[in-house]
């Protein structure tokens, strides 16, 4: 197996933290997204979609989408469990994964890709259509993030981790989300004490350095 | 258990097809989203987020997000398997689920909620911020759907189902996606013969009527 990775980008970091929690080490190659290395022929020969992270298997199969890569490792190396143990826990991990993606990460990425100068003219990841940056998307995303951050804080007021007392991939996603939000100058609000308490605990885990 | 459902809406249909494939029957109440019933006090008392579908468990736990509800049932009733059998199949189901959501369903919903008169002034599902309909989101989504439909057709040229020869929740998501796309006048292009072959097979399953 081989992982194509980019140290600074949020989605590859989700995979790296996941692997660190499971103490899995695999060979890795860095791909520089801001300079467009992921859209050059050499990388497109590995993954025609041009997205990072990509995992290549020994039989030549390629697997992309960060959470799909994590599920693959979860099935191969079930301990420690990171996708939930009981039926309800698995459902709640999925529920928070979706909320963190659709109501959080997605909007942060929308703001970042539609404002960062490195992505002018290619506001979508990978080999998507070349669309110009669109200011109305930024305004919209900026309106939607604060109520979601508030919902997360309310949730964490009654929950040690994103899903009860069980550390899971939902915590990894939330950690990466809040760190990504700092790029767009939307740090955890100082009055969100439950989120800050959770953040201190999760970011102190050795895996958070991955 | 009790399921709050809306017969016409795409996300609740994903759950209904999933339950039909597993031959699970549970009591159901219809909630009328276009008239705003999901945002009335009676429904918000059941689920403060105001989203449909919502599953309530006998101990009072509420579970929303369609795929989270499906995962709950998958863990309780593993047969027939709908989330993948091997590690790689599970990963590929996750991968297609994500692509169908982020590159397909999401944009269709974006076009629908930003054009349908019933959603003027509330272009987001549930209890989100009240945002006006935004034409630039529609233009953008319209640019992004055709390349994705093309990618799906290319994939299905070499694959019976979305993930190899195994019918899974990814086929349910894709079926619901293509049916939803007809609402915004983007049917499967007549030249996408692989998608049409797949669609004929999947939509002929008894569960498709759910």
């Amino acid at each position: 197996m081989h992982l194509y990775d980019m140290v600074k980008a949020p989605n590859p970091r989700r995979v790296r933290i996941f692997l660190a929690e499971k103490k899995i080490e695999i060979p890795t190659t860095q791909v520089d997204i801001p300079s467009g290395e992921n859209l050059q022929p050499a990388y497109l020969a590995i993954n025609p979609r041009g997205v990072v992270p990509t995992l290549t298997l020994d039989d030549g199969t390629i697997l992309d989408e960060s959470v799909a890569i994590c599920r693959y490792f979860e099935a191969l190396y079930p301990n420690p469990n990171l996708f939930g143990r009981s039926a309800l826990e698995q459902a709640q991990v999925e529920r928070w994964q979706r909320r963190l993606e659709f109501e959080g990460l997605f909007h942060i990425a929308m703001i970042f890709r539609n404002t960062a100068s490195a992505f002018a003219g290619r506001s979508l990841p990978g080999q998507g259509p070349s669309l110009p940056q669109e200011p109305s998307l930024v305004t919209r995303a900026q309106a939607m993030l604060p109520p979601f951050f508030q919902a997360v804080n309310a949730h964490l007021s009654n929950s040690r981790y994103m899903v009860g007392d069980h550390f899971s991939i939902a915590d990894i996603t939330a950690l990466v989300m809040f760190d990504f939000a700092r790029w767009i100058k939307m740090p955890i609000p100082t009055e969100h004490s439950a989120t800050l308490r959770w953040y201190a605990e999760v970011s102190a885990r050795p895996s958070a350095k991955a």
Side-chain angles (χ1 to χ4, degrees), chain A residues 131-152:
Chain A
L131 293 178
Q133 292 177 322
E134 170 62 55
S136 68
L137 291 176
V138 176
T139 317
R140 190 181 174 86
Q142 280 166 340
M144 287 160 80
L145 279 169
F148 181 62
F149 280 16
Q150 204 138 16
V152 171

Side-chain angles (χ1 to χ4, degrees), chain A residues 23-179:
Chain A
K23 304 197 192 313
I24 299 168
E25 288 184 24
I26 56 171
T28 295
T29 298
Q30 294 295 314
V31 182
D32 189 57
I33 302 173
S35 75
E37 188 183 349
N38 60 314
L39 302 180
Q40 295 301 313
Y43 189 69
L44 294 177
I46 294 159
N47 184 347
R49 286 182 72 205
V51 295
V52 181
T54 293
L55 182 72
T56 57
L57 308 186
D58 295 343
D59 69 357
T61 303
I62 65 161
L63 197 55
D64 56 25
E65 294 293 330
S66 54
V67 181
I69 294 171
C70 292
R71 278 215 185 266
Y72 182 68
F73 285 113
E74 180 83 356
L76 291 182
Y77 306 98
N79 296 309
N81 171 294
L82 292 172
F83 274 98
R85 295 160 302 184
S86 64
L88 185 58
E89 215 170 65
Q90 287 172 28
Q92 284 168 331
V93 167
E94 179 79 44
R95 176 178 186 269
W96 275 109
Q97 283 280 95
R98 292 175 68 81
R99 295 199 62 184
L100 290 161
E101 300 252 15
F102 284 107
E103 301 177 52
L105 272 172
F106 183 85
H107 297 304
I108 299 168
M110 205 65 124
I111 294 172
F112 178 66
R113 302 230 28 153
N114 284 283
T115 53
S117 56
F119 294 104
R122 52 185 189 108
S123 63
L124 298 171
Q127 280 285 73
S130 279
L131 293 178
Q133 292 177 322
E134 170 62 55
S136 68
L137 291 176
V138 176
T139 317
R140 190 181 174 86
Q142 280 166 340
M144 287 160 80
L145 279 169
F148 181 62
F149 280 16
Q150 204 138 16
V152 171
N153 186 60
H155 172 65
L156 288 171
S157 304
N158 300 306
S159 190
R160 178 176 173 191
Y161 293 118
M162 290 306 297
V163 176
D165 61 357
H166 182 61
F167 178 88
S168 73
I169 189 172
D171 296 288
I172 298 174
T173 302
L175 174 65
V176 168
M177 178 191 80
F178 283 117
D179 284 342

Side-chain angles (χ1 to χ4, degrees), chain A residues 13 19 49 135:
Chain A
R13 186 176 173 225
L19 293 174
R49 286 182 72 205

Side-chain angles (χ1 to χ4, degrees), chain A residues 7 18 22 32 69 76 83 99 118 141 182 187 192 197 202:
Chain A
V7 161
F18 192 90
K22 292 201 180 266
D32 189 57
I69 294 171
L76 291 182
F83 274 98
R99 295 199 62 184
R182 292 197 292 193
H192 286 190
R197 183 263 314 147
V202 170

